[in-house]
Amino acid sequence: MSILLYNINKARFLCYIFYIISITSILLISPYSLSSPENTTKPSINIATVHWPGYTNKDGSGLYLTILKSIFDEKVVTLDISLMPYRRARYSVETLQNDIFLVESEFTRSFTLIYSHIPIDIGNVDYFHSQDTFFSDATSFSGKTLGWVKGYEFQKKISLPESHYNTFHVNDVLQGVKMLTQGRLDYFIDYDEGIKQTAHQNNIDIKNFTFTQGFQEVYLVGFSSDTKGRKLRVMYNNGMKMLFSSGQLENILFEYGVIPQIIDEQQIATILNYYSKLFSQI
């Protein structure tokens, strides 16, 4: 047992040494390099993100920001977090004004940014519809009206050609839930827990409606394409693996929930199983 503990502590020590070396290398190539021996200012990692309550909160808390803070030790670096609209946040990283962009769907990746190999999150996207609407496979969408939030590109996950169904882009989940329950959509495609939470918060009765399993979507972290961004991406990928293997990632998921304030043990198990399979392959 003592030998096992020694090996674990040794591995943690080596990982910490790697972290310090990585941060030092970033210092040497970034504008935050130490200009004199007296300068003790910590280097900054600049993060641009949209305000997603529960994920990227205004006070610096939230699921995604907590994960980054667990990877990039604030004893060594300063995390400067800027909240801004989606397009401006991504553009600021594309133009090297910031270093990290949170978060990017696998469907909407920029050609300018580089992305993490390890997702920061995965989500279950379901088909929400009336219990009277029969669904077997994608061919069931033929001639139907499908809705999803504007900006999502769920058509890329649907095997049926777009010409075989109608698409309506809603402004938000609430509009989609209302239209579906009012009979104005045949299917509303979104995250199951998000739909349930929205219906509950707005007193919308969905007992005569059901969820059919759709597909998984992964969320990536975007990095600037310069040397600093490439080094930060390596640190992030290695850091995620460390968080998973140490059990810290599981603790974070149970602390924040996969949907704000909702602890879905089944979804957490799905996420952890996803990471387990992913890390066994790399």
Side-chain angles (χ1 to χ4, degrees):
M1 183 67 177
S2 60
I3 295 176
L4 176 61
L5 290 175
Y6 170 78
N7 288 334
I8 292 174
N9 290 331
K10 181 180 179 181
R12 288 176 176 171
F13 175 75
L14 291 175
C15 288
Y16 183 74
I17 292 299
F18 172 79
Y19 177 86
I20 296 298
I21 292 173
S22 299
I23 283 292
T24 302
S25 67
I26 291 174
L27 277 170
L28 293 175
I29 53 86
S30 76
Y32 305 103
S33 301
L34 299 178
S35 56
S36 69
E38 292 77 20
N39 189 352
T40 58
T41 303
K42 293 186 293 185
S44 294
I45 298 176
N46 303 310
I47 302 169
T49 181
V50 178
H51 174 219
W52 284 301
Y55 298 98
T56 54
N57 296 327
K58 292 180 179 179
D59 63 359
S61 64
L63 177 62
Y64 297 158
L65 293 178
T66 298
I67 289 175
L68 288 191
K69 289 179 179 180
S70 299
I71 293 173
F72 301 108
D73 189 348
E74 291 188 284
K75 296 177 182 177
V76 183
V77 298
T78 297
L79 297 182
D80 288 333
I81 302 166
S82 300
L83 302 178
M84 58 186 76
Y86 171 86
R87 293 187 184 279
R88 197 197 319 165
R90 187 166 74 169
Y91 180 75
S92 72
V93 181
E94 290 175 334
T95 54
L96 309 182
Q97 300 171 56
N98 287 303
D99 307 308
I100 295 177
F101 171 57
L102 286 178
V103 293
E104 186 80 272
S105 162
E106 62 180 304
F107 304 128
T108 57
R109 283 183 282 193
S110 163
F111 291 110
T112 306
L113 300 183
I114 58 175
Y115 289 96
S116 58
H117 300 129
I118 311 300
I120 196 170
D121 195 9
I122 64 172
N124 290 328
V125 179
D126 280 4
Y127 308 138
F128 181 51
H129 56 91
S130 167
Q131 292 180 352
D132 297 329
T133 302
F134 174 76
F135 181 88
S136 59
D137 54 34
T139 59
S140 299
F141 291 144
S142 183
K144 304 294 185 180
T145 300
L146 284 56
W148 57 75
V149 175
K150 185 188 303 182
Y152 293 175
E153 297 191 34
F154 290 156
Q155 75 277 4
K156 294 181 179 180
K157 285 283 191 175
I158 298 174
S159 57
L160 191 69
E162 290 183 70
S163 59
H164 289 224
Y165 58 86
N166 302 310
T167 304
F168 187 92
H169 295 141
V170 300
N171 294 319
D172 51 35
V173 175
L174 178 58
Q175 183 185 5
V177 173
K178 285 183 175 179
M179 290 185 66
L180 190 286
T181 55
Q182 293 168 359
R184 297 164 61 195
L185 293 174
D186 295 302
Y187 295 90
F188 177 56
I189 304 177
D190 208 279
Y191 308 96
D192 52 358
E193 291 297 339
I195 292 174
K196 294 173 185 176
Q197 186 181 54
T198 298
H200 175 73
Q201 291 175 343
N202 294 276
N203 297 314
I204 299 174
D205 185 4
I206 59 172
K207 67 176 181 294
N208 294 323
F209 298 85
T210 190
F211 294 88
T212 296
Q213 183 177 350
F215 50 87
Q216 282 188 338
E217 183 181 12
V218 301
Y219 299 100
L220 305 169
V221 179
F223 297 87
S224 57
S225 59
D226 58 1
T227 304
K228 184 179 180 182
R230 291 195 296 272
K231 288 180 178 291
L232 289 174
R233 180 173 66 165
V234 171
M235 293 182 65
Y236 167 84
N237 289 325
N238 290 333
M240 283 294 287
K241 190 170 185 178
M242 288 173 56
L243 290 183
F244 174 77
S245 60
S246 68
Q248 190 174 352
L249 181 59
E250 181 177 0
N251 294 336
I252 293 172
L253 290 172
F254 272 106
E255 178 181 357
Y256 284 95
V258 290
I259 297 290
Q261 300 179 337
I262 296 179
I263 307 300
D264 184 339
E265 294 188 13
Q266 182 177 356
Q267 176 61 5
I268 291 176
T270 298
I271 292 173
L272 295 175
N273 184 58
Y274 174 90
Y275 283 126
S276 179
K277 291 180 179 179
L278 180 63
F279 290 133
S280 68
Q281 298 170 359
I282 60 176

